[in-house]
């Protein structure tokens, strides 16, 4: 943290936020940080807002490995937002550095039709964009594993395991395990269609390929984190654990275990 001083603030301006941002800027300057207007000049990227804002900041700045990402929440703490805009003294404490740790979060690399590659920190989801179900042939390391029919599938990272994946009754995965989890959205299981029916945790050495069966409902929505890709006619989505990790900082008393407890058990 000490050698990183150029900060880019990512937020959606509003009248409510502006006075708080000014106070934050004052604290930053006092601690020797410089605010930059271009994200390219930054080595710290701070999002202000919820987890959704943090995910957007990553996407808009291209999942940079040479930057530290910091999430600052303006309402309540999230999974990626360790700092609270209303507790400036805590941010100031964090900026002085021995109270914070750098964490490295695994991401997923998603390639559509062998051409376009995207990254995600929470999950990649493929969902029907109409009322009809659609089918996906699932391949793991080139082995045909199952044919899914239903509303869609979600492949999540460990940190994304507490998001959409959890609503689908997936397991919560410790981010220290580089892995990805395949989960179903309302699969049909009868004499015609058969899927595993439970979440599947795969190691970082596996490659997952989801081939959209071209049988009439061939244009599902593909989304990476909270953004739908504008790709309408995709046939094949391949997903693996990326070499790219996102560096973020957290306060020492706010581990993954603290966050899971705080969010789901209190
Ligand atoms: P947001 O900040 O409004 O997020 C929505 C909620 O999801 C918030 O409560 C947020 O704290 C929580 N969240 C986001 N990432 C999380 C994580 N990794 N662990 C635990 N909670 C997390 O912003 P948004 O743009 O709506 O969020 C995008 C995320 O919402 C997607 O990446 C997806 O995981 C999730 N999502 C969930 C469902 C569902 O549970 N049915 C459906 C669609 C999307």
């Amino acid at each position: 943290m000490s050698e990183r001083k150029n900060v880019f603030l990512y937020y959606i301006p509003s009248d409510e936020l502006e006075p708080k941002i000014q106070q934050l800027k004052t604290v930053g300057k006092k601690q020797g940080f410089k605010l930059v207007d271009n994200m390219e000049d930054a080595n710290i990227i701070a999002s202000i807002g919820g987890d959704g804002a943090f995910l957007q900041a990553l996407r808009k700045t291209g999942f940079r490995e040479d930057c530290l990402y910091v999430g600052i929440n303006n309402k309540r703490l999230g999974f990626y937002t360790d700092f609270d805009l209303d507790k400036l003294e805590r941010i100031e404490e964090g900026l002085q550095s021995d109270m914070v740790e750098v964490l490295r979060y695994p991401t997923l690399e998603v390639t559509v039709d062998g051409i376009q590659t995207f990254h995600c920190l929470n999950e990649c989801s493929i969902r029907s964009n109409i009322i009809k179900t659609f089918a996906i042939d699932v391949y793991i390391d080139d082995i045909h594993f199952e044919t899914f029919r239903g509303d869609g599938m979600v492949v999540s990272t460990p940190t994304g395991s507490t998001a959409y994946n959890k609503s689908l009754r997936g397991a919560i995965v410790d981010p220290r395990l580089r892995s990805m989890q395949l989960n179903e959205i309302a699969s049909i299981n009868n004499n015609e269609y058969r899927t595993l029916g439970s979440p599947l945790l795969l190691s970082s050495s596996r490659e997952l390929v989801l081939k959209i069966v071209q049988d009439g409902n061939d244009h599902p929505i593909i989304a990476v984190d909270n953004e739908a890709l504008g790709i309408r006619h995709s046939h094949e989505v391949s997903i693996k654990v990326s070499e790219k990790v996102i560096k973020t900082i957290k306060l020492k008393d706010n581990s993954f275990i603290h966050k899971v407890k705080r969010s789901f058990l209190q």
Side-chain angles (χ1 to χ4, degrees), residues 50-52 55 79-80 122-123 127 159-160 162-164 167 225-226:
D51 286 326
L55 296 169
F79 262 75
Y80 298 115
N122 259 359
E123 74 282 294
R127 296 176 249 177
T159 55
T162 46
Y164 200 174
S167 307
D225 296 336
N226 51 7

Side-chain angles (χ1 to χ4, degrees), residues 16 46 51 84-85 110 132 143 148 151 186-187 229 255:
E16 184 211 336
D51 286 326
D84 188 336
L85 196 52
V110 177
K132 271 168 75 75
I143 301 162
F148 166 93
D151 285 358
S187 60
L229 304 178
S255 70

Side-chain angles (χ1 to χ4, degrees), residues 7 52 65 73 87 95 115 128 158 164 170 199 209 228 230 262:
V7 185
E65 283 194 286
N73 207 306
K87 292 189 183 139
L95 293 176
I115 312 168
S128 178
Y164 200 174
V209 175
R262 184 180 68 221

Side-chain angles (χ1 to χ4, degrees), residues 51 55 79-80 105-108 120-125 154-184 199-202 225 241 256-257 259-261 263-264:
D51 286 326
L55 296 169
F79 262 75
Y80 298 115
Y105 285 152
T107 63
L108 296 181
C120 51
L121 182 63
N122 259 359
E123 74 282 294
C124 170
S125 58
V154 172
V155 183
S156 62
T157 64
T159 55
S161 68
T162 46
Y164 200 174
N165 168 73
K166 185 173 184 297
S167 307
L168 299 166
R169 300 195 165 269
I172 289 182
V173 180
D174 185 337
R176 291 182 187 175
L177 292 172
R178 282 186 75 232
S179 57
M180 59 182 168
Q181 186 171 178
L182 174 68
N183 211 337
E184 305 175 350
L200 178 64
L201 189 67
L202 294 167
D225 296 336
V241 177
F256 181 71
I257 307 300
K259 291 181 203 198
V260 173
K261 183 173 174 189
S263 300
F264 304 116

